[in-house]
Amino acid sequence: TNTQLGYKYSISASVKQKIGKNFSSMLAYTNGMSKDLMNGVRVSAQANWNWNQTIEANNPRLSYSNFDIRHRIVGNLSYQHKIKDKHTTTFGAFFLASSGSPFSYVYSGDINRDASSKNDLIYVPSDASEINLVDITDGNGNVTVSAQEQWEQLDAYIENDSYLREQRGKYTERNGGRTPWNTQLDIHIGQEFIHRKNKTDHKFELTADIFNVLNLFNYRWGRQYYVPNTTNAGYALIKGKTNADGTNTTYQFFNPTSEPWQIDGIASRLQMQIGFRYTFL
């Protein structure tokens, strides 16, 4: 059946200012929130039900949508100057900053025995007594990482994550985590020349568009972060295993060295596009 629990809203405000004869500027801010019980990002029942991150599969909680905006800032500065009232020089700078993409922290393994290993939200322990960690062993049964060492690593991981730190003693929320902010600065430069002959205007325009200019100054600036949420994929932080009779759940923590999100290898780079256009009227 349908539900009336989901909702979304967005509020935007913008200011525009013309500076002198040649400059104009714009700054806008959007605050938005989107919550639902199920994201519905795929057409199959399996993807939308079995993969929906929750604590109780038959009682999903209202949580942030995959498409939650939260914060978005857009700025623009443009300059236009005519030479001899014919040849036009243009310059534009466009800035965009937006909250990161939402994602979920889940277990690796079917903790609640609902036949899905992708949808179990993790419980963030307050101390070692709230998680039943077991030793990690190699193929010969030798202990490679003890339960105590795993707790020390997990405790440090939680403390270094602002969201997980706030969730101690509670379950994580679907899409409760977020990637870092995405920021980008683009620049447009154009020069137009007009030549009039036999009452016909011939316009020649050279343009240069530079995308992600911040990356030119620092390889860490202008990075575009994302999570593969098209399949409702969560970040499997802790491995869990429950006996067939639903008792004695044990956990292992493999101390990941990578982040829950990924970096877009193309959009995060400096790029340039050169253009030429000829028009006649």
Side-chain angles (χ1 to χ4, degrees):
T1 59
N2 207 347
T3 176
Q4 296 180 353
L5 293 178
Y7 67 89
K8 66 178 180 178
Y9 74 83
S10 64
I11 303 173
S12 298
S14 63
V15 291
K16 298 180 180 180
Q17 178 65 47
K18 192 166 182 66
I19 308 171
K21 182 180 178 181
N22 305 109
F23 286 92
S24 61
S25 61
M26 182 274 293
L27 182 65
Y29 168 74
T30 298
N31 178 271
M33 184 179 292
S34 175
K35 287 194 171 186
D36 56 27
L37 296 183
M38 184 181 298
N39 280 306
V41 295
R42 300 290 294 275
V43 296
S44 69
Q46 180 185 29
N48 290 325
W49 186 259
N50 289 24
W51 297 356
N52 194 46
Q53 299 97 344
T54 183
I55 300 170
E56 301 176 62
N58 293 328
N59 185 29
R61 296 181 179 180
L62 185 66
S63 304
Y64 293 112
S65 164
N66 285 17
F67 314 102
D68 183 52
I69 299 174
R70 206 67 60 88
H71 304 286
R72 191 168 187 263
I73 302 170
V74 176
N76 179 63
L77 177 66
S78 61
Y79 168 84
Q80 189 175 74
H81 176 67
K82 286 192 175 184
I83 304 173
K84 297 181 180 180
D85 293 328
K86 288 197 306 181
H87 313 309
T88 304
T89 301
T90 59
F91 172 86
F94 178 81
F95 176 75
L96 171 65
S98 59
S99 297
S101 302
F103 67 92
S104 308
Y105 287 100
V106 297
Y107 290 110
S108 171
D110 187 7
I111 302 301
N112 60 5
R113 308 292 295 174
D114 66 349
S116 176
S117 60
K118 298 175 178 288
N119 69 342
D120 298 336
L121 295 170
I122 70 169
Y123 177 83
V124 185
S126 298
D127 52 52
S129 67
E130 293 189 334
I131 183 169
N132 185 21
L133 290 165
V134 295
D135 296 338
I136 298 174
T137 59
D138 60 18
N140 297 319
N142 300 313
V143 176
T144 57
V145 186
S146 69
Q148 178 59 33
E149 291 173 325
Q150 291 175 63
W151 166 249
E152 293 172 357
Q153 294 169 352
L154 176 58
D155 187 52
Y157 189 97
I158 294 171
E159 279 300 304
N160 289 327
D161 187 296
S162 59
Y163 173 70
L164 294 178
R165 187 168 60 247
E166 294 176 355
Q167 294 298 116
R168 279 193 186 269
K170 298 181 289 185
Y171 282 93
T172 56
E173 306 161 286
R174 174 167 56 87
N175 284 334
R178 296 192 84 93
T179 71
W181 277 57
N182 289 325
T183 58
Q184 184 167 334
L185 175 65
D186 302 331
I187 289 178
H188 169 81
I189 303 172
Q191 180 63 57
E192 182 183 77
F193 302 93
I194 299 178
H195 176 68
R196 174 166 291 181
K197 184 177 181 181
N198 298 328
K199 297 182 180 181
T200 300
D201 286 341
H202 299 267
K203 294 184 179 181
F204 303 89
E205 184 179 11
L206 296 172
T207 59
D209 293 287
I210 308 172
F211 305 102
N212 206 4
V213 176
L214 297 175
N215 189 253
L216 176 65
F217 303 100
N218 189 309
Y219 76 97
R220 295 182 181 273
W221 295 353
R223 281 183 172 177
Q224 304 300 304
Y225 304 94
Y226 73 98
V227 288
N229 249 354
T230 54
T231 58
N232 266 17
Y235 183 66
L237 182 63
I238 302 172
K239 182 179 180 181
K241 182 179 180 181
T242 303
N243 290 344
D245 59 3
T247 63
N248 192 31
T249 303
T250 58
Y251 303 94
Q252 291 178 322
F253 180 66
F254 288 86
N255 199 23
T257 56
S258 60
E259 301 290 355
W261 50 81
Q262 299 180 29
I263 298 174
D264 191 316
I266 301 299
S268 298
R269 297 181 181 180
L270 173 75
Q271 301 179 66
M272 179 181 290
Q273 176 177 284
I274 304 297
F276 171 77
R277 182 169 59 183
Y278 164 66
T279 58
F280 56 93
L281 299 174

